[in-house]
Amino acid sequence: MKTITSKDNPTYKLAAKLTKRKYRDETGMYLIEGIKPLEDAISAGMRIEQIFVTERSREHGLPEENMILLNERLFEELSDTRCSQGVVAMVNQQESSNDMLLRLAEGNGGILVLDRVQDPGNLGTMIRTAEAAGMAGVILIKGCVDPYSPKVVRSAAGSLFRVPIIQKVDTDNLIEAAKATGRRLAVTALEGAVDYDRAGLGGRDMIVIGNEGRGVSDSFMKASDLKIKIPMAGSIESLNAAVAAGILMYESQKI
C-alpha cells in the first residue's frame, strides 16, 4: 500500500482540489466519504480512481487496489464529516451529453427535471426518492446546485451511483427532447393548474420542479403540456421542493 506524507504529492493535490466545484467540473471526478458509500459505488460499477484511508480504517478490510494511506492531518483536509470513518475515495462522475439526454428521453419510465434547484439537501433527497419511486432518471437544468457536492452526495446516498443523472442541460434542449420523444412536460404552477391527483400523470411524463424561491422558469411554463399543483390546507402556501417532488413522482407511477 502506498503512503503519502506530504500535501505536495500530485495525487493528494488533485484530491484536495475536488473539494471545490471548479475542479470537479474540470476533472469529471468527485469525492465520496465513508465505507458504505464506497461499497455502494463499487457495487454499482463506478470507476474508483483512488481510495484514501487512515490507520484506523484499515481494519475494515477494504480492497487494497488503488488504496493510499494518509496521516490524520492530511486526511482531515479531504474529509467533510465530523465523525469520519477514515475513508475517502475519488470517483468518476456520470457522463452528461445531449446524446445521453435523448437516449434517456427515448426510453421508458418517468423523468424528474430540476430547474435551477439550489439547496443541496433538496437535490440529494430528490435523487434518492427518484430511485425509490422507480423513475428512469434525473435531469438537472443549468443553474442547479452541483450534484457532486459533499452534501448532495451524502443526502442522495447510493442513489447517486444508480440513478442516471444528466446535468447542465439547456432548457431549450430539454424541451426539444421532450417533443421529439413524445413526452409531456408536467410543470408545477399556482395559476391555471390542475390538482396533481386529477391530472392523469403518467409513467413517461417529465415532471419539472422549479427553483425553491422563484419556481419554474417562464420557458418551461410556456412549453408545458400540463400544469399541476398540490392543494394545501390551512395557511400553507407551498411545500418543500423535495417533498413536492416525492408526491408527484409517486403519483406518476400509479399509471
Side-chain angles (χ1 to χ4, degrees):
M1 182 188 301
K2 183 178 179 181
T3 300
I4 292 178
T5 58
S6 171
K7 64 169 57 176
D8 293 324
N9 178 278
T11 301
Y12 180 81
K13 287 174 70 174
L14 172 59
K17 286 181 176 180
L18 298 182
T19 59
K20 297 180 174 61
R21 179 170 191 173
K22 172 185 176 181
Y23 296 107
R24 292 194 292 268
D25 289 343
E26 287 182 2
T27 63
M29 292 187 290
Y30 65 108
L31 299 178
I32 61 174
E33 184 168 358
I35 296 170
K36 182 62 164 60
L38 176 59
E39 291 174 343
D40 286 342
I42 293 172
S43 296
M46 301 298 292
R47 182 179 172 186
I48 312 296
E49 294 291 341
Q50 299 287 349
I51 302 172
F52 300 95
V53 299
T54 60
E55 283 289 352
R56 57 191 162 87
S57 62
R58 295 179 66 179
E59 63 188 36
H60 294 289
L62 297 169
E64 294 204 3
E65 183 181 1
N66 298 331
M67 188 176 288
I68 295 175
L69 182 65
L70 300 178
N71 60 40
E72 293 289 343
R73 178 180 59 82
L74 290 179
F75 186 86
E76 287 178 3
E77 295 292 324
L78 303 182
S79 175
D80 190 65
T81 61
R82 290 184 178 179
C83 301
S84 175
Q85 294 178 309
V87 177
V88 168
M90 291 167 50
V91 183
N92 282 276
Q93 299 180 14
Q94 294 190 38
E95 184 182 347
S96 292
S97 67
N98 284 334
D99 288 342
M100 295 188 70
L101 168 63
L102 190 57
R103 286 200 296 272
L104 180 61
E106 288 173 339
N108 296 318
I111 295 174
L112 180 66
V113 179
L114 303 180
D115 180 21
R116 298 162 298 134
V117 168
Q118 292 297 297
D119 186 272
N122 280 342
L123 177 55
T125 299
M126 285 188 271
I127 291 171
R128 191 172 184 178
T129 306
E131 180 181 18
M135 303 295 280
V138 177
I139 295 172
L140 308 183
I141 300 301
K142 286 183 177 179
C144 278
V145 64
D146 180 11
Y148 299 106
S149 66
K151 189 170 183 179
V152 176
V153 173
R154 288 196 302 273
S155 298
S159 298
L160 190 65
F161 314 128
R162 297 184 292 266
V163 176
I165 298 170
I166 303 175
Q167 61 169 326
K168 299 180 182 177
V169 175
D170 286 323
T171 301
D172 290 344
N173 288 346
L174 188 282
I175 293 171
E176 289 176 7
K179 291 180 179 178
T181 57
R183 286 182 178 267
R184 294 192 306 175
L185 283 172
V187 306
T188 51
L190 295 176
E191 298 181 1
V194 179
D195 285 356
Y196 77 98
D197 55 348
R198 299 179 181 179
L201 281 173
R204 291 193 81 253
D205 287 339
M206 288 184 171
I207 299 173
V208 183
I209 301 293
N211 174 271
E212 291 90 344
R214 301 187 297 275
V216 174
S217 69
D218 290 339
S219 296
F220 275 125
M221 283 294 184
K222 292 176 183 177
S224 65
D225 301 292
L226 183 63
K227 292 182 175 67
I228 52 179
K229 64 179 180 179
I230 299 174
M232 307 286 166
S235 59
I236 300 299
E237 295 182 358
S238 64
L239 292 174
N240 170 274
V243 173
I247 292 172
L248 299 178
M249 284 190 281
Y250 272 97
E251 178 67 22
S252 72
Q253 298 307 299
K254 287 183 178 179
I255 298 178

